[in-house]
Amino acid sequence: MANQHSNKIEDFAFDYLQKHYSQQCSPANVLVSHSERAKRGTSPDGILTFKRDLNNVFVASVSMAQAADLTQVLTNYKKKGLGLLRYVTPIILAIACFFLGKSLNNLLVMLISPVIMAPLGFMLHSYLLKKHYVGKVEKILDTVKHIPADEHWIGLSISSLTFRKNPMANIMLDLCSKKGIGLITVGQRAKVVLMNKPERENCRRNDFLSYYVSEENIRKATLGDHVLRVA
């Protein structure tokens, strides 16, 4: 596990996606632009653009900063699950019910209520913890989804072992699929794995590039005849 994060998705994501779009869409060139700022709202770690038609530009966003939080959630869930604290809840409830029944001098409350309340407390605690984790994942994905782009990508620096027998990883993949967000990962072997393909968004304007501060420069570079790489 010590080398799990030695390979960073930042070193692989843009080259991988540049090849991906070159093969899938066959544009004249795919421009890679790092640290682009949206005119408002959330900005991606970078975008890939290419000429879609005569005057419009296709934009794919790549997010990796938010992905660090996703990696932490998945790794913690893999190691600890929902945690041991939830096992304390039924014990506390059982003891509380027992002493409540004793103080009321009610044998039924003292002996029966712990049997009912303890498992209910355990299930409720487990449900709330899982809902908390899922909420964190969904919040991150929603942030990425609000980035102006035809397609959205998240890149994770994470071992493939973290996805094995990890219910939270399955939930995240399901949410990515439902929200139309692409997911790529890189682990110890420095191999990029495509986990989920994105779905294309509809733009209210001519294209999503109009939402970016560097729109004019990128549009000229993308629609022109020169292959450029913006730092």
Side-chain angles (χ1 to χ4, degrees), residues 36-44 143 145-149 204-205 208-214:
E36 282 301 327
R37 290 191 300 112
K39 293 177 181 177
R40 61 180 181 179
T42 307
S43 297
T143 300
K145 191 66 176 178
H146 284 114
I147 295 172
R204 297 177 182 177
R205 304 183 186 179
F208 283 102
L209 188 59
S210 59
Y211 290 89
Y212 288 89
V213 174
S214 302

Short mmCIF file of all heavy atoms in Angstrom, two decimals, residues 36-44 143 145-149 204-205 208-214:
data_model
loop_
_atom_site.label_atom_id
_atom_site.label_comp_id
_atom_site.label_asym_id
_atom_site.label_seq_id
_atom_site.Cartn_x
_atom_site.Cartn_y
_atom_site.Cartn_z
N GLU A 36 -7.89 25.87 -16.48
CA GLU A 36 -8.77 26.87 -17.07
C GLU A 36 -9.83 27.32 -16.07
O GLU A 36 -10.33 26.52 -15.29
CB GLU A 36 -9.46 26.31 -18.32
CG GLU A 36 -8.58 26.27 -19.54
CD GLU A 36 -8.06 27.64 -19.93
OE1 GLU A 36 -8.77 28.64 -19.72
OE2 GLU A 36 -6.93 27.70 -20.44
N ARG A 37 -10.14 28.61 -16.10
CA ARG A 37 -11.13 29.17 -15.18
C ARG A 37 -12.45 29.43 -15.90
O ARG A 37 -12.48 30.04 -16.96
CB ARG A 37 -10.62 30.47 -14.56
CG ARG A 37 -9.48 30.27 -13.57
CD ARG A 37 -9.17 31.55 -12.79
NE ARG A 37 -8.79 32.65 -13.66
CZ ARG A 37 -9.53 33.75 -13.84
NH1 ARG A 37 -10.71 33.87 -13.25
NH2 ARG A 37 -9.10 34.71 -14.64
N ALA A 38 -13.52 28.94 -15.29
CA ALA A 38 -14.85 29.25 -15.80
C ALA A 38 -15.20 30.67 -15.40
O ALA A 38 -14.72 31.19 -14.39
CB ALA A 38 -15.87 28.26 -15.25
N LYS A 39 -16.05 31.32 -16.19
CA LYS A 39 -16.44 32.70 -15.89
C LYS A 39 -17.22 32.79 -14.59
O LYS A 39 -17.20 33.81 -13.91
CB LYS A 39 -17.26 33.26 -17.06
CG LYS A 39 -16.44 33.42 -18.34
CD LYS A 39 -17.28 33.90 -19.51
CE LYS A 39 -16.44 34.02 -20.77
NZ LYS A 39 -17.24 34.42 -21.95
N ARG A 40 -17.88 31.71 -14.23
CA ARG A 40 -18.54 31.63 -12.93
C ARG A 40 -18.74 30.16 -12.58
O ARG A 40 -18.75 29.29 -13.44
CB ARG A 40 -19.89 32.36 -12.95
CG ARG A 40 -20.90 31.81 -13.93
CD ARG A 40 -22.19 32.60 -13.86
NE ARG A 40 -23.19 32.08 -14.78
CZ ARG A 40 -24.42 32.57 -14.90
NH1 ARG A 40 -24.78 33.60 -14.16
NH2 ARG A 40 -25.27 32.05 -15.76
N GLY A 41 -18.90 29.90 -11.28
CA GLY A 41 -19.09 28.53 -10.83
C GLY A 41 -17.79 27.77 -10.70
O GLY A 41 -16.70 28.35 -10.63
N THR A 42 -17.89 26.46 -10.68
CA THR A 42 -16.73 25.58 -10.48
C THR A 42 -15.88 25.48 -11.73
O THR A 42 -16.39 25.38 -12.84
CB THR A 42 -17.21 24.17 -10.08
OG1 THR A 42 -18.09 24.27 -8.96
CG2 THR A 42 -16.03 23.28 -9.71
N SER A 43 -14.57 25.52 -11.53
CA SER A 43 -13.63 25.38 -12.64
C SER A 43 -12.97 24.01 -12.60
O SER A 43 -12.73 23.47 -11.52
CB SER A 43 -12.56 26.47 -12.57
OG SER A 43 -13.13 27.76 -12.72
N PRO A 44 -12.67 23.44 -13.75
CA PRO A 44 -12.01 22.13 -13.79
C PRO A 44 -10.50 22.26 -13.62
O PRO A 44 -9.96 23.36 -13.60
CB PRO A 44 -12.35 21.63 -15.20
CG PRO A 44 -12.40 22.89 -16.01
CD PRO A 44 -12.97 23.95 -15.10
N THR A 143 -20.76 18.60 -7.93
CA THR A 143 -19.85 19.73 -8.18
C THR A 143 -19.19 19.60 -9.54
O THR A 143 -19.10 20.57 -10.31
CB THR A 143 -18.77 19.80 -7.08
OG1 THR A 143 -19.40 19.97 -5.81
CG2 THR A 143 -17.82 20.97 -7.33
N LYS A 145 -20.35 17.87 -12.05
CA LYS A 145 -21.39 17.93 -13.08
C LYS A 145 -21.75 19.36 -13.45
O LYS A 145 -22.20 19.63 -14.57
CB LYS A 145 -22.64 17.18 -12.58
CG LYS A 145 -23.69 16.94 -13.65
CD LYS A 145 -23.19 15.99 -14.72
CE LYS A 145 -24.28 15.69 -15.73
NZ LYS A 145 -23.80 14.81 -16.81
N HIS A 146 -21.55 20.30 -12.53
CA HIS A 146 -21.90 21.69 -12.79
C HIS A 146 -20.82 22.44 -13.58
O HIS A 146 -21.01 23.60 -13.93
CB HIS A 146 -22.17 22.42 -11.46
CG HIS A 146 -23.50 22.09 -10.87
ND1 HIS A 146 -23.66 21.42 -9.68
CD2 HIS A 146 -24.76 22.31 -11.33
CE1 HIS A 146 -24.93 21.26 -9.42
NE2 HIS A 146 -25.63 21.78 -10.40
N ILE A 147 -19.70 21.79 -13.83
CA ILE A 147 -18.66 22.41 -14.66
C ILE A 147 -19.16 22.48 -16.10
O ILE A 147 -19.70 21.50 -16.61
CB ILE A 147 -17.36 21.60 -14.59
CG1 ILE A 147 -16.78 21.63 -13.17
CG2 ILE A 147 -16.33 22.12 -15.58
CD1 ILE A 147 -15.61 20.70 -12.96
N PRO A 148 -19.03 23.63 -16.76
CA PRO A 148 -19.50 23.73 -18.15
C PRO A 148 -18.66 22.89 -19.10
O PRO A 148 -17.48 23.17 -19.31
CB PRO A 148 -19.37 25.24 -18.45
CG PRO A 148 -18.35 25.74 -17.48
CD PRO A 148 -18.49 24.90 -16.25
N ALA A 149 -19.27 21.84 -19.66
CA ALA A 149 -18.55 20.96 -20.57
C ALA A 149 -19.53 20.03 -21.27
O ALA A 149 -20.59 19.71 -20.73
CB ALA A 149 -17.50 20.14 -19.83
N ARG A 204 -26.96 25.22 -23.90
CA ARG A 204 -27.96 26.23 -24.25
C ARG A 204 -27.40 27.26 -25.22
O ARG A 204 -28.14 27.89 -25.97
CB ARG A 204 -28.45 26.93 -22.98
CG ARG A 204 -29.17 26.01 -22.00
CD ARG A 204 -29.56 26.76 -20.74
NE ARG A 204 -30.20 25.88 -19.77
CZ ARG A 204 -30.59 26.27 -18.56
NH1 ARG A 204 -30.39 27.53 -18.18
NH2 ARG A 204 -31.16 25.42 -17.73
N ARG A 205 -26.09 27.44 -25.18
CA ARG A 205 -25.45 28.36 -26.11
C ARG A 205 -24.91 27.56 -27.30
O ARG A 205 -25.21 26.38 -27.47
CB ARG A 205 -24.31 29.10 -25.41
CG ARG A 205 -24.74 29.85 -24.16
CD ARG A 205 -23.57 30.61 -23.56
NE ARG A 205 -23.91 31.23 -22.28
CZ ARG A 205 -23.06 31.93 -21.54
NH1 ARG A 205 -21.81 32.13 -21.96
NH2 ARG A 205 -23.44 32.46 -20.38
N PHE A 208 -19.95 25.10 -25.03
CA PHE A 208 -19.59 25.34 -23.63
C PHE A 208 -18.32 26.18 -23.48
O PHE A 208 -18.04 26.68 -22.39
CB PHE A 208 -19.39 24.00 -22.91
CG PHE A 208 -20.68 23.32 -22.54
CD1 PHE A 208 -21.15 22.25 -23.29
CD2 PHE A 208 -21.42 23.76 -21.45
CE1 PHE A 208 -22.34 21.62 -22.96
CE2 PHE A 208 -22.62 23.14 -21.11
CZ PHE A 208 -23.08 22.07 -21.86
N LEU A 209 -17.57 26.35 -24.55
CA LEU A 209 -16.35 27.15 -24.46
C LEU A 209 -16.66 28.60 -24.10
O LEU A 209 -15.84 29.29 -23.50
CB LEU A 209 -15.58 27.08 -25.78
CG LEU A 209 -14.18 27.71 -25.78
CD1 LEU A 209 -13.28 27.06 -24.73
CD2 LEU A 209 -13.56 27.61 -27.16
N SER A 210 -17.86 29.05 -24.43
CA SER A 210 -18.25 30.43 -24.15
C SER A 210 -18.36 30.71 -22.65
O SER A 210 -18.46 31.86 -22.23
CB SER A 210 -19.59 30.75 -24.82
OG SER A 210 -20.61 29.87 -24.36
N TYR A 211 -18.30 29.65 -21.82
CA TYR A 211 -18.38 29.83 -20.37
C TYR A 211 -17.00 30.04 -19.73
O TYR A 211 -16.91 30.20 -18.52
CB TYR A 211 -19.02 28.60 -19.72
CG TYR A 211 -20.50 28.44 -20.01
CD1 TYR A 211 -20.94 27.75 -21.14
CD2 TYR A 211 -21.46 28.99 -19.17
CE1 TYR A 211 -22.29 27.60 -21.40
CE2 TYR A 211 -22.81 28.84 -19.43
CZ TYR A 211 -23.22 28.15 -20.55
OH TYR A 211 -24.56 28.00 -20.82
N TYR A 212 -15.93 30.03 -20.54
CA TYR A 212 -14.58 30.10 -19.99
C TYR A 212 -13.91 31.45 -20.26
O TYR A 212 -14.17 32.09 -21.28
CB TYR A 212 -13.73 28.96 -20.56
CG TYR A 212 -14.11 27.62 -19.99
CD1 TYR A 212 -15.10 26.84 -20.60
CD2 TYR A 212 -13.52 27.14 -18.84
CE1 TYR A 212 -15.47 25.62 -20.07
CE2 TYR A 212 -13.88 25.92 -18.30
CZ TYR A 212 -14.86 25.17 -18.91
OH TYR A 212 -15.24 23.97 -18.37
N VAL A 213 -13.05 31.84 -19.33
CA VAL A 213 -12.36 33.12 -19.40
C VAL A 213 -11.48 33.19 -20.65
O VAL A 213 -11.41 34.22 -21.32
CB VAL A 213 -11.50 33.34 -18.12
CG1 VAL A 213 -10.66 34.60 -18.25
CG2 VAL A 213 -12.39 33.41 -16.89
N SER A 214 -10.80 32.09 -20.96
CA SER A 214 -9.88 32.07 -22.11
C SER A 214 -10.57 31.64 -23.40
O SER A 214 -9.92 31.10 -24.31
CB SER A 214 -8.71 31.12 -21.81
OG SER A 214 -8.03 31.50 -20.65
#
